Amino acid sequence: MVESASDEILRDAQNVDVAFLVVGDPFGATTHTDLVLRARELSIPISSIPNASIMSAIGATGLQLYNFGQTVSMVFFTDSWKPASFYDRIRENRSIGLHTLVLLDIKVKEQSLENMARGRKVYEPPRYMTVGQCAEQMLEIEGMKKEAGEGGVYNEESLAVGAARVGGRSEKFVSGTLKQLCEADEVLGEPLHSLVLLGRRTHELESDYVREFAVDKELWDRIWKRDYEGKQ
């Protein structure tokens, strides 16, 4: 709505109070920043109230927010569209040992190409990407990059954490390798899901905390000692 109806949102804001509610923090997306800039151009005074956001709530995994790098987004792949721009951001994060928070795609009020072409306001059922789908797509892109001689950023044994419904009473975490997280959806349950790929600078206390969610604690310990402990 913001992208297509910003003029409508601001139309009467010079004369009446207009409230715009968002999921998460209001400045967690550039779309909302753009809305504020438009309001300023029209000399419309604005005020904002910070809100809970996955960007800070992900600390419930036990991973320190100071150790996170750039956040990336993962979209649903299609047969002809598999964007991999997230890969270079993860490469940059991992080059300095930082965690990567991966935000997963949400498809709500989406129209099929046929319905759009026919002008029919018929919407597809909502779809929410799962941790398993995200992990599979990450490994698919790693495979493609490896074939092109550009891979090596992560692999099937890279440690990660899957998070579901963070901040809710039924929040759930599962940790393990990316390969293990491909099969973690049944344990994690209903959406919304997020994924964190661990960086090599993971502190021992972080590992101890996240280990409690591990699918296989022995495997976690073995990979931690081999690839992460004492690494920078």
Side-chain angles (χ1 to χ4, degrees), residues 9-18 38-45:
I9 294 171
L10 297 173
R11 184 178 56 200
D12 298 320
Q14 289 176 320
N15 303 313
V16 298
D17 291 335
V18 175
R38 290 171 182 264
R40 287 178 179 172
E41 290 176 357
L42 297 171
S43 299
I44 298 172

Side-chain angles (χ1 to χ4, degrees), residues 134-151:
C134 177
E136 288 177 357
Q137 291 188 178
M138 288 176 67
L139 291 175
E140 181 179 357
I141 293 299
E142 174 59 44
M144 294 168 61
K145 292 289 186 179
K146 189 174 182 179
E147 288 182 3
E150 303 172 352

Side-chain angles (χ1 to χ4, degrees), residues 82-106:
K82 298 181 180 181
S85 57
F86 69 89
Y87 190 83
D88 288 334
R89 303 290 81 76
I90 294 179
R91 184 196 301 275
E92 292 169 1
N93 287 346
R94 287 180 68 81
S95 71
I96 53 176
L98 299 179
H99 310 315
T100 301
L101 170 61
V102 186
L103 305 178
L104 311 191
D105 202 1
I106 298 174

Side-chain angles (χ1 to χ4, degrees), residues 9 22 25 30 38 75 89 96 102 113 121 131 145 160 164 173-175 188-189 191 207 223:
I9 294 171
V22 302
D25 191 83
T30 54
R38 290 171 182 264
V75 301
R89 303 290 81 76
I96 53 176
V102 186
L113 292 176
K121 291 189 175 181
V131 162
K145 292 289 186 179
F173 304 108
V174 174
S175 61
L188 285 168
S207 178
I223 295 176

